[in-house]
Amino acid sequence: SNYGAYEDVMDKEGKVLYTAEQFADPGVDYEFSPGERGCAHSHYRMWQRVVKEGKPMLILEDDVQLIFERNSGGMSSGKTFTERLELGVVEATKRNADVLYLGWSGHRDGNFKFSKANPGRKNPIVRKAEYVWTTVAYVLWPRGAERLLEQAKPMNQPVDNFMGWECREGRLDSYVLLDDGDDDETWSGGIVTQLDFNGDSDIKKSDGGDQGDDPTEYLAKKNGA
């Protein structure tokens, strides 16, 4: 992957199972952890609901946080959330978006890694996504839900990676919503945060992640192993 931060993975005896270089190219296969599988299924069911309803839907995870210290200073609130969300939906609708991320980390217009930005003034409300993480809160339109369901046969990555990759490959038109104070230097932004990202969940990350879970537990078995 072009977006990972890799390191050598060792077994309990200190033997290197895979090097950072192997993770980068050709890649290493992992199985889903049970928690990742359940999380992905929950989002999948919401995508089906969006298609059935035929209208955009706000999707929130259970650890979403609406009140936090904003990059512009001061605290967010239900009022600031609603006002900024309304502006974002208007701008995203103009752009025929599939997804609008309300909380995000990663690469988007103003901080692209590989994509090329269009010249001219940047929109102060929404920016085109390249590859962003987290699915803590997003608005999903029916066309986007249909596109995700079409590609999720099966869903071959944890849901935030899956959505990020579909955007990166040009199969999903995703945007991020900027909060007041978010700028081109902002890595994580939006109008929500995730409550205690490192400690609020018992969902194990198959690759260990920032939570420090065992990165060997869900390594896919090699043939003949």
Side-chain angles (χ1 to χ4, degrees), residues 38-135:
C39 181
H41 184 61
S42 295
H43 283 272
Y44 187 93
R45 289 175 62 192
M46 295 309 300
W47 302 345
Q48 292 176 316
R49 180 76 176 271
V50 173
V51 171
K52 181 179 179 180
E53 297 289 337
K55 56 186 177 183
M57 185 176 294
L58 172 61
I59 298 174
L60 304 174
E61 293 185 337
D62 61 2
D63 57 353
V64 66
Q65 188 173 26
L66 304 184
I67 300 175
F68 60 95
E69 187 173 350
R70 306 172 81 187
N71 287 327
S72 60
M75 299 298 292
S76 62
S77 64
K79 183 175 184 292
T80 62
F81 173 85
T82 302
E83 290 174 348
R84 201 74 180 177
L85 175 60
E86 289 176 347
L87 292 172
V89 169
V90 168
E91 293 296 322
T93 301
K94 288 179 183 177
R95 289 159 177 76
N96 201 24
D98 291 327
V99 177
L100 177 64
Y101 287 95
L102 309 189
W104 45 270
S105 298
H107 300 284
R108 40 65 187 190
D109 192 2
N111 183 26
F112 280 149
K113 186 171 184 179
F114 298 106
S115 301
K116 292 185 178 181
N118 293 324
R121 181 175 177 270
K122 302 293 184 187
N123 188 287
I125 308 297
V126 300
R127 299 284 180 87
K128 186 76 173 69
E130 177 184 328
Y131 189 107
V132 296
W133 289 269
T134 83
T135 50

Side-chain angles (χ1 to χ4, degrees), residues 173-185:
D173 291 328
S174 301
Y175 289 79
V176 301
L177 176 56
L178 304 182
D179 192 20
D180 186 30
D182 292 345
D183 58 27
D184 289 352
E185 302 301 317

Side-chain angles (χ1 to χ4, degrees), residues 136-157:
V136 68
Y138 58 98
V139 178
L140 180 63
W141 278 261
R143 187 186 69 175
E146 290 173 350
R147 288 176 166 181
L148 288 168
L149 291 169
E150 176 61 30
Q151 294 299 320
K153 298 178 179 178
M155 192 186 307
N156 58 0
Q157 304 178 63

Side-chain angles (χ1 to χ4, degrees), residues 33-40 43 61-64 135-136 159-160 194-206 208-214:
S33 74
E36 287 173 332
R37 190 178 301 278
C39 181
H43 283 272
E61 293 185 337
D62 61 2
D63 57 353
V64 66
T135 50
V136 68
V159 65
D160 59 337
Q194 190 170 352
L195 179 64
D196 187 13
F197 176 73
N198 288 328
D200 75 336
S201 177
D202 60 359
I203 294 177
K204 290 186 177 181
K205 306 297 183 184
S206 53
D210 292 332
Q211 289 78 1
D213 294 325
D214 181 357

